[in-house]
Amino acid sequence: MRYASVTERLSGLGGEKWALHARARAMKAGGEPIIEMTIGEPDIPTPTAFIDAAYRAMQSGRTGYSNGRGEPALVKALAARYSQRRGRLITPDQVICLPGTQTTLYTILRTIAEAGDEVLVGDPMYATYEGIIAQSGARMVPVPLRPEFGFRMQVADVAARITPASRVLFLNTPHNPTGALLRPEDLAALGALAKANDLWIVSDEVYEEMVFPGVTFASPLDLPDLADRVISACSISKSHAAPGFRSGWCIGPVEFCRRLLPLSETMLFGSQPFIADMTALAISEPSPVSDGMVARFSRRAGLIADTLDGVAGLRAHRPEAGMFTLIDVRATGLSGTGFAEGLLAAQKVAVMPGESFGQGLNGWIRLSLTQPDDLTVEAAKRIAAHAAKLLEQAA
């Protein structure tokens, strides 16, 4: 039997990248005492107020069909939120609501890119980006994000990779997996390059409300002269500890939203009204849980760095936002995958191999910051012990 070419393009780009996480979960289910530091799930339950809002909406009959753009109250609330935060008017016809950031990014790329196009994206990158780009038929063009620049995208690195086929500059700020945050001057320079080469700018901003002390979030939506080419994607999954509700959105030019709408209607024909009501409540005021997560994740990143940086050749990268931190394990002579597999077997600590996030993290591992402080420190001690043993064996 024949299959669509998209299945070939996506072969190997799905759950395979999370194989070590799945193995750790199976070991844990079998009774092994695994310290799990793989995925980025909030370390607290969804606030009761949001669950109650969804329940009340269901009880009142908000369980029928919706529409492809989103429930009017939520669309209006998002337009008001972005107008206030970005300092310029965002209208409801610039908003499309979708089930989570993943679906939102999929739909955005499906709307603006196709076979023959190229999408420039930072490497390292979130593990699903390669598949999101490949499904559209476009070709991914990795742009190195260099540790010496704090993993912030450099305009010269982008410019060197632009060709006549370039169509999209795909940004992620705050960045997963590095925790890097683009500055206003970075965005201005990247925006000028995008204008000069007629590129779309797609900005995944799901960690906007999880920025650590000492830095400030900035978005390309802040720049009025980029209004005709910037599309921002976000959700309540991280900031409001509600990943299972799958509630996201994008903000973009009116014409872009007009063209995306039939795709949304064809694929989904609307999200659940009761989830929209909950989301409207959630985004109408500051998140009640993001400040606490920021404090905990920032503190745990410091605990890991204090325990590991410079020990047994390891180097810790301190994030500026989000819920992950990176460790450079190249001094052990192993790839990130080799180190992570050995660590799981020997020390019962599950981390993500850097290679799951692109070639830019060969020889690195990513740790989530969602375990309690005591387990975080214990995991770091076990990582140090594992690295020390590898160096001893190599001597």
Side-chain angles (χ1 to χ4, degrees), residues 76-88:
K76 182 179 179 181
L78 285 166
R81 168 192 171 111
Y82 277 83
S83 295
Q84 191 274 326
R85 291 195 175 190
R86 303 285 80 90
R88 62 185 179 87

Side-chain angles (χ1 to χ4, degrees), residues 16-17 43 54 57 72 79 95 98 128 135 150 187 236 262 291 307 313 325 329 343 351 358:
E16 289 88 345
K17 293 194 175 189
D43 62 343
V95 179
L98 294 151
T128 67
Q135 60 82 22
L187 294 171
I236 61 170
D291 285 350
T307 304
T325 194
V329 300
L343 179 69
V351 301

Side-chain angles (χ1 to χ4, degrees), residues 27-51:
M27 292 169 66
K28 192 172 184 178
E32 298 193 51
I34 304 297
I35 302 178
E36 185 180 297
M37 306 184 79
T38 46
I39 62 172
E41 201 155 16
D43 62 343
I44 52 172
T46 303
T48 302
F50 301 152
I51 295 174

Side-chain angles (χ1 to χ4, degrees), residues 225-288:
D225 64 326
L226 301 179
D228 62 344
R229 66 184 66 251
V230 172
I231 306 158
S232 170
C234 200
S235 77
I236 61 170
S237 296
K238 310 294 188 182
S239 58
H240 292 74
F245 281 89
R246 311 311 303 138
S247 184
W249 57 85
C250 61
I251 309 294
V254 172
E255 177 64 12
F256 161 79
C257 291
R258 186 186 71 80
R259 289 177 179 264
L260 183 147
L261 184 55
L263 177 59
S264 172
E265 292 169 335
T266 301
M267 183 169 63
L268 300 164
F269 216 92
S271 302
Q272 298 86 345
F274 60 91
I275 293 180
D277 292 352
M278 183 201 82
T279 307
L281 170 66
I283 62 98
S284 65
E285 54 191 23
S287 167

Side-chain angles (χ1 to χ4, degrees), residues 40-364:
E41 201 155 16
D43 62 343
I44 52 172
T46 303
T48 302
F50 301 152
I51 295 174
D52 289 346
Y55 177 75
R56 288 194 303 270
M58 285 188 282
Q59 288 292 99
S60 67
R62 296 280 288 149
T63 57
Y65 288 119
S66 184
N67 64 82
R69 182 176 293 276
E71 289 294 293
L74 175 55
V75 170
K76 182 179 179 181
L78 285 166
R81 168 192 171 111
Y82 277 83
S83 295
Q84 191 274 326
R85 291 195 175 190
R86 303 285 80 90
R88 62 185 179 87
L89 179 64
I90 301 293
T91 59
D93 53 2
Q94 293 178 255
V95 179
I96 300 280
C97 298
L98 294 151
T101 310
Q102 182 74 13
T103 304
T104 300
L105 292 170
Y106 179 103
T107 312
I108 290 170
L109 267 295
R110 197 70 173 173
T111 303
I112 62 175
E114 59 188 353
D117 293 339
E118 294 177 348
V119 178
L120 300 129
V121 62
D123 178 9
M125 70 195 76
Y126 180 55
T128 67
Y129 284 1
E130 189 174 356
I132 287 170
I133 295 166
Q135 60 82 22
S136 72
R139 187 174 77 89
M140 182 180 76
V141 178
V143 177
L145 305 180
R146 307 176 191 277
E148 59 265 33
F149 295 114
F151 291 106
R152 286 159 51 195
M153 185 177 282
Q154 301 297 296
V155 69
D157 289 330
V158 179
R161 288 159 179 81
I162 291 177
T163 75
S166 301
R167 292 291 177 269
V168 182
L169 176 58
F170 191 164
L171 305 178
N172 177 203
T173 185
H175 188 263
N176 177 6
T178 70
L181 201 67
L182 290 174
R183 307 300 199 261
E185 58 269 26
D186 298 327
L187 294 171
L190 292 168
L193 186 65
K195 286 183 67 176
N197 292 277
D198 196 23
L199 304 180
W200 287 100
I201 299 174
V202 175
S203 186
D204 177 354
E205 300 174 350
V206 72
Y207 291 103
E208 174 184 351
E209 294 190 59
M210 300 183 68
V211 174
F212 295 173
V215 287
T216 303
F217 173 75
S219 168
L221 279 174
D222 297 336
L223 305 174
D225 64 326
L226 301 179
D228 62 344
R229 66 184 66 251
V230 172
I231 306 158
S232 170
C234 200
S235 77
I236 61 170
S237 296
K238 310 294 188 182
S239 58
H240 292 74
F245 281 89
R246 311 311 303 138
S247 184
W249 57 85
C250 61
I251 309 294
V254 172
E255 177 64 12
F256 161 79
C257 291
R258 186 186 71 80
R259 289 177 179 264
L260 183 147
L261 184 55
L263 177 59
S264 172
E265 292 169 335
T266 301
M267 183 169 63
L268 300 164
F269 216 92
S271 302
Q272 298 86 345
F274 60 91
I275 293 180
D277 292 352
M278 183 201 82
T279 307
L281 170 66
I283 62 98
S284 65
E285 54 191 23
S287 167
V289 294
S290 61
D291 285 350
M293 285 191 287
V294 164
R296 292 191 298 278
F297 298 160
S298 175
R299 182 176 68 247
R300 291 167 191 163
L303 291 172
I304 290 170
D306 290 345
T307 304
L308 290 180
D309 194 45
V311 175
L314 302 176
R315 304 303 305 180
H317 169 73
R318 289 182 180 264
E320 298 179 313
M323 52 177 61
F324 307 102
T325 194
L326 297 175
I327 305 297
D328 182 348
V329 300
R330 288 175 292 181
T332 67
L334 294 181
S335 67
T337 300
F339 187 95
E341 288 177 344
L343 179 69
L344 179 61
Q347 296 286 349
K348 310 302 182 188
V349 176
V351 301
M352 286 296 292
E355 291 83 6
S356 292
F357 307 97
Q359 295 305 302
L361 284 185
N362 281 338
W364 294 67

